[in-house]
Amino acid sequence: MMKVAFVVKINYEAIISTAYHVNILRFFSKNYDLTVLTNAVSFFKKQGLRAKYVQLHYLPFPSISHYLINDYIINSKLRKLDYDLLVIWYDSLLSFPSKKPVFRLVDICPYQSIGYSTKDDRIRFDQRIIFNMFMRSFKKSSFILTVSPQLKQFLVDYGVPEHKIRWLPHGVDLERFRRMETRKTKEYILISTVQFLQNRGSDIIIEGMKKLSTLDKNIKFVSVGNAEKQFRKWNPVLRKMKLENQIILYGVVDNKKIPEFLAKADIGVSFLEKNEYYDKSPPQKLFEYMAMGLPTIANDLPTHTQFIRDGYNGLIVDSAEELVEAVLKLKNDQKLYERMSKNALKEAKKYSLTKIEEKLKKYVESLLNE
């Protein structure tokens, strides 16, 4: 059996968003002799993956030296391993030589990795150096898999050879995420399985829920996956606005429990700030919403509208007023709701984890057989 060394880092404040990581690692554990080098050994062990583990301790990324030190740590661990393919899902500069093929997984814009926002007047000198080193590392890679065509094009625009890059969307486990029986409850729940943040639409949601609460107290918004600091920030604000019973925050939960939350919801919500990051990285939750038969209300971004078609499996809005209108439209028109729900289920089948894994295996096998 082919041996794969897989380097992956996760953010413990965003455990809820690691479903894609777990799905990919599960694929490799089923098909190859897998060794995972990660900062989250205990987390991945709980997922029941068939793999060996090597604990990594990363330095934060404020400087070039920290990036290089992290690469040195990774390389020192890899030298002790025997493997046929190196998979990197981590902000590595690949500053060390690799005698084996390197398979890079890219699910965020490299601008995000270096902490650069296009809202800034200009990129800092140190950020520019790190960014250029990133681009060189991508060019050195044998194969790159991105999660969107936009992310692929970004790399091509910066000189990464197009023939090295493929894109493959997020997959969803249709066995775990599937529509439940119709709920019988007075509450009408909007849900977002992500932290309640300003760059995730908190302002629009608050303004929208203010209006909706005056029209129907049974309409609730639920946010799942919040770090402790979000409770400290938002609980006083929501109490002051008298929205603590309309906007309900839950903490970080294991992705295994997400279907339970979605089963109690009526509408999935995804608002993302319009920037270089979110324009290129589609959220995993879209596919989970669809698999549960939830119409999705989202704002107008390429990584939303590529999967959520206005009036078909969801509604596209860009303001609090439009959010209110969309919620009431779905709540008051049961035929429209059911049609969108059926369309969401139909779309979800295109992104079944089984289909995604079949394509992924072709890419890996072609690289190993070169």
Side-chain angles (χ1 to χ4, degrees):
M1 182 178 283
M2 293 289 187
K3 297 179 180 179
V4 174
F6 197 122
V7 181
V8 59
K9 176 190 175 187
I10 65 171
N11 176 2
Y12 274 100
E13 283 194 352
I15 290 293
I16 193 172
S17 64
T18 58
Y20 187 47
H21 292 78
V22 173
N23 288 342
I24 294 293
L25 277 166
R26 184 164 284 121
F27 159 80
F28 278 97
S29 74
K30 287 189 299 185
N31 293 283
Y32 306 101
D33 183 354
L34 179 65
T35 300
V36 182
L37 298 86
T38 181
N39 65 321
V41 169
S42 59
F43 169 76
F44 284 118
K45 279 186 175 179
K46 290 178 183 177
Q47 309 308 311
L49 305 177
R50 182 175 57 82
K52 298 181 284 292
Y53 293 93
V54 175
Q55 181 72 54
L56 291 179
H57 300 282
Y58 296 109
L59 294 175
F61 296 125
S63 67
I64 297 171
S65 61
H66 280 198
Y67 275 98
L68 295 175
I69 290 170
N70 285 335
D71 268 11
Y72 174 81
I73 293 170
I74 293 170
N75 191 32
S76 66
K77 302 289 186 181
L78 287 172
R79 284 201 301 264
K80 300 175 184 178
L81 300 177
D82 177 30
Y83 57 91
D84 302 297
L85 177 68
L86 173 60
V87 181
I88 296 181
W89 199 349
Y90 157 76
D91 300 332
S92 170
L93 299 177
L94 201 59
S95 57
F96 52 87
S98 176
K99 296 180 180 179
K100 302 295 183 180
V102 178
F103 188 113
R104 292 291 289 260
L105 290 159
V106 184
D107 63 338
I108 61 172
C109 177
Y111 279 158
Q112 190 171 356
S113 298
I114 64 172
Y116 169 64
S117 170
T118 50
K119 290 182 178 179
D120 299 337
D121 290 335
R122 59 184 177 180
I123 189 169
R124 296 197 316 266
F125 178 71
D126 61 322
Q127 290 175 325
R128 173 60 64 187
I129 292 175
I130 296 171
F131 181 79
N132 289 338
M133 293 176 76
F134 263 129
M135 290 304 106
R136 282 199 294 272
S137 79
F138 288 129
K139 293 172 187 177
K140 286 169 60 178
S141 301
S142 310
F143 185 90
I144 301 168
L145 190 65
T146 73
V147 293
S148 72
Q150 294 90 348
L151 199 46
K152 174 184 175 180
Q153 189 59 49
F154 179 90
L155 296 178
V156 171
D157 289 344
Y158 278 97
V160 180
E162 187 171 4
H163 72 270
K164 289 187 175 185
I165 313 171
R166 297 289 185 275
W167 82 273
L168 194 62
H170 293 295
V172 60
D173 187 342
L174 297 181
E175 291 298 314
R176 288 182 54 231
F177 291 88
R178 52 195 175 88
R179 189 176 187 179
M180 308 297 184
E181 292 183 8
T182 304
R183 297 185 309 108
K184 294 181 180 180
T185 174
K186 290 183 179 180
E187 291 185 339
Y188 196 82
I189 297 177
L190 320 180
I191 192 167
S192 178
T193 50
V194 73
Q195 292 197 75
F196 195 60
L197 302 171
Q198 195 165 16
N199 63 2
R200 302 295 180 97
S202 61
D203 291 348
I204 289 178
I205 291 164
I206 287 173
E207 288 304 310
M209 290 307 299
K210 276 184 188 177
K211 177 64 175 177
L212 287 168
S213 67
T214 66
L215 301 173
D216 189 339
K217 289 288 186 183
N218 290 319
I219 298 176
K220 315 278 186 179
F221 174 83
V222 171
S223 168
V224 184
N226 291 281
E228 185 59 36
K229 61 185 177 183
Q230 301 308 325
F231 288 97
R232 293 195 298 269
K233 174 182 178 179
W234 290 111
N235 282 347
V237 174
L238 296 177
R239 282 195 295 269
K240 185 176 181 180
M241 293 182 172
K242 297 182 179 180
L243 289 174
E244 69 271 24
N245 294 321
Q246 307 305 125
I247 297 178
I248 302 162
L249 307 184
Y250 287 89
V252 176
V253 301
D254 193 296
N255 188 267
K256 292 177 181 177
K257 296 183 179 180
I258 296 303
E260 298 174 21
F261 283 92
L262 296 180
K264 298 174 183 177
D266 297 278
I267 298 173
V269 175
S270 183
F271 287 117
L272 296 172
E273 185 178 70
K274 295 182 179 180
N275 60 33
E276 285 278 358
Y277 306 166
Y278 300 131
D279 277 355
K280 295 173 176 57
S281 300
Q284 170 77 29
K285 60 180 178 284
L286 295 183
F287 307 92
E288 295 170 353
Y289 294 164
M290 288 191 287
M292 298 292 290
L294 298 182
T296 298
I297 295 177
N299 62 325
D300 190 5
L301 281 180
T303 44
H304 279 154
T305 56
Q306 184 177 352
F307 305 103
I308 305 301
R309 288 147 56 190
D310 188 41
Y312 179 73
N313 59 339
L315 294 169
I316 303 300
V317 305
D318 270 318
S319 67
E321 293 77 14
E322 291 178 356
L323 170 62
V324 171
E325 183 181 339
V327 171
L328 295 177
K329 188 175 184 179
L330 287 168
K331 185 176 186 295
N332 296 329
D333 190 337
Q334 191 60 30
K335 288 184 178 179
L336 174 66
Y337 181 92
E338 284 301 323
R339 185 168 71 248
M340 286 194 185
S341 178
K342 289 178 181 177
N343 290 337
L345 292 169
K346 182 179 178 181
E347 287 296 300
K349 292 178 181 178
K350 297 179 182 178
Y351 310 106
S352 73
L353 195 55
T354 302
K355 291 182 178 179
I356 299 301
E357 286 183 345
E358 288 173 357
K359 292 181 180 179
L360 180 57
K361 189 167 186 178
K362 287 181 181 178
Y363 294 146
V364 175
E365 295 297 323
S366 64
L367 188 57
L368 287 171
N369 293 329
E370 283 184 355

